[in-house]
């Protein structure tokens, strides 16, 4: 992979060159479909090996975004879906992932991500790719969790992750985390599922965001407790599960064998979970999705640090940055100019 960055108006662009199958055909086929329904169809096709997922050797790959620009880049690179990472959203706002950001700040980020995905899709006259957004602990009790689910749905998110950590939560791969009781965790997930169903009753079939239920109890209460929680989350209606930070391939295999439905692998480089090739995650273990939560953020930080060092020492930055024309295109100037000319009276 090659990374190039430029720094403009306190923002950065990170362009990924990837060897990946484009999702444009599926995007055209799903035009007009609500984001949650697009995600549901994508997951079902992956589970069945049909549609755009037929003969795919890998699970659904989710490069994680954290703002409108990173969302645009993921979509323009041809990925089928993305994930809004709480670590990333916290990071670009200058905070660690310890729930220092409020519900409203995360909701604002979801809106920017949705706009970024929409703007990228408009350039190809296709539907935006679906995004699963980090909903942390739901930002309060079960009623707060329901509000969070519905708020993210209104922002255009296809799915939402709800986890069982004690608030304020933190990144699942750092020390100091703790989880709520088994019964409280199940009730939190049930509230999220109820909010999904209530949203669909109000706004129509396929509009309720899919629920990704996450447990962090492996580290605090052991592997069996984590499996027990995932099974219980499925019983109360979650659409997908995420057992955070398995420490061995054996744990990953057992989780996939024992828990039904779509499952997420979290490929955090230098974290606690073994990093495996996407083909192995699907074919040897059984994961449905693979998220890369910090790759874009970490690569961007590294590139910015290197660029800053070049500036500091008076060295040229040409090899580190895009051309001005490329930078303008990546942030949307090309499409903006087309739209501006469309409504010009001259």
């Amino acid at each position: 992979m090659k990374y190039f960055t430029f720094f403009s108006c306190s923002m950065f662009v990170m362009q990924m060159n990837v060897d990946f199958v484009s999702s444009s055909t599926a995007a055209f086929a799903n035009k007009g479909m609500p984001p949650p329904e697009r995600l549901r169809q994508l997951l079902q096709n992956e589970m069945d090996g049909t549609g755009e997922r037929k003969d795919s050797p890998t699970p659904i790959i989710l490069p994680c975004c954290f703002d409108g620009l990173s969302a645009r880049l993921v979509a323009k690179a041809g990925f089928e879906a993305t994930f809004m990472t709480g670590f990333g959203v916290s990071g670009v706002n200058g905070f660690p992932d310890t729930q220092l950001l409020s519900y409203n700040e995360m909701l604002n980020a979801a809106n920017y991500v949705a706009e970024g995905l929409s703007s990228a899709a408009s350039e190809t006259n296709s539907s935006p790719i679906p995004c699963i957004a980090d909903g942390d602990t739901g930002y309060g009790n079960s009623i707060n969790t329901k509000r969070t689910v519905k708020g993210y749905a209104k922002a255009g998110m296809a799915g939402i992750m709800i986890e069982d950590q004690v608030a304020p939560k933190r990144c699942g791969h750092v020390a100091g985390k703790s989880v709520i009781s088994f019964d409280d965790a199940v009730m939190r997930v049930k509230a999220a599922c109820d909010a999904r169903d209530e949203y669909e009753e109000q706004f129509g079939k396929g509009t309720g965001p899919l629920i990704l239920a996450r447990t962090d109890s492996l580290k605090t209460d052991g592997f069996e407790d984590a499996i027990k929680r995932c099974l219980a989350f499925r019983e109360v209606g979650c659409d997908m599960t995420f057992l955070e930070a398995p420490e061995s391939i054996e744990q990953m295999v057992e989780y996939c064998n024992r828990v039904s439905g779509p499952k997420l692998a979290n490929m955090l480089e230098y974290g606690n979970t073994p990093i495996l090739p996407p083909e192995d995650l699907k074919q040897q273990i059984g994961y449905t999705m693979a998220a890369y939560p910090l790759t874009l953020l970490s690569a961007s930080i590294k590139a910015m640090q290197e660029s800053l060092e070049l500036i500091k020492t008076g060295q040229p930055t040409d090899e580190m940055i895009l051309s001005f024309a490329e930078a303008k295109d990546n942030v949307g100037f090309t499409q903006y100019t087309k739209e501006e000319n469309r409504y010009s009276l001259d």
Side-chain angles (χ1 to χ4, degrees), residues 5 7 297-313 320:
T5 62
F7 202 76
L297 177 65
S298 182
S300 301
I301 293 172
K302 181 179 180 180
M304 284 191 285
Q305 288 175 331
E306 291 177 359
S307 297
L308 289 167
E309 187 62 29
L310 290 174
I311 295 171
K312 185 177 181 181
T313 57
M320 294 297 298

Side-chain angles (χ1 to χ4, degrees), residues 49-262:
T50 58
E52 69 270 39
R53 301 304 300 164
K54 184 179 181 181
D55 301 324
S56 173
T58 69
I60 299 164
I61 304 296
L62 305 173
C64 291
C65 62
F66 37 82
D67 58 13
L69 180 56
S70 56
R72 273 180 56 82
L73 293 177
V74 172
K76 286 166 70 70
F79 289 93
E80 297 165 292
T82 186
F83 190 109
M84 187 186 84
T85 160
F87 192 117
V89 175
S90 295
V92 296
N93 281 282
F95 298 106
D97 183 20
T98 52
Q99 209 167 357
L100 290 170
L101 295 189
S102 67
Y103 160 68
N104 196 54
E105 289 170 303
M106 290 295 291
L107 183 62
N108 284 339
N111 275 301
Y112 281 121
V113 164
E115 288 190 16
L117 296 176
S118 178
S119 69
S122 69
E123 295 176 11
T124 56
N125 193 31
S126 59
S127 290
I129 63 172
C131 178
I132 303 171
D134 192 345
D136 291 323
T137 60
Y139 307 102
N141 62 16
S142 293
I143 310 305
N144 293 89
T145 298
K146 294 179 73 171
R147 181 183 182 226
T148 300
V149 171
K150 294 176 181 179
Y152 277 35
K154 292 173 184 175
M157 296 295 98
I160 179 171
M161 182 175 74
I162 296 294
E163 62 190 76
D164 60 1
Q165 281 198 49
V166 171
K169 58 86 62 182
R170 61 187 60 207
C171 169
H173 289 252
V174 301
K177 66 179 182 178
S178 57
V179 296
I180 58 179
S181 72
F182 174 86
D183 290 338
D184 286 338
V186 173
M187 197 58 65
R188 180 181 289 173
V189 173
K190 183 180 185 305
C193 295
D194 287 346
R196 172 200 62 203
D197 297 342
E198 290 168 10
Y199 195 87
E200 287 212 348
E201 288 177 9
Q202 229 179 346
F203 296 101
K205 181 176 174 55
T207 61
L210 275 59
I211 306 301
L212 171 61
R214 162 180 158 176
T215 182
D216 284 74
S217 74
L218 186 155
K219 186 69 175 178
T220 59
D221 296 80
F223 182 72
E224 283 302 319
D225 185 80
I227 291 290
K228 180 182 175 184
R229 289 183 183 226
C230 286
L231 292 171
F233 296 162
R234 288 289 288 164
E235 288 178 7
V236 295
C238 81
D239 302 282
M240 311 163 278
T241 58
F242 171 23
L243 194 159
E244 171 68 303
E247 298 172 343
S248 67
I249 293 175
E250 290 73 23
Q251 287 183 344
M252 298 164 80
V253 170
E254 188 168 353
Y255 160 55
C256 288
N257 285 339
R258 292 174 62 182
V259 179
S260 66

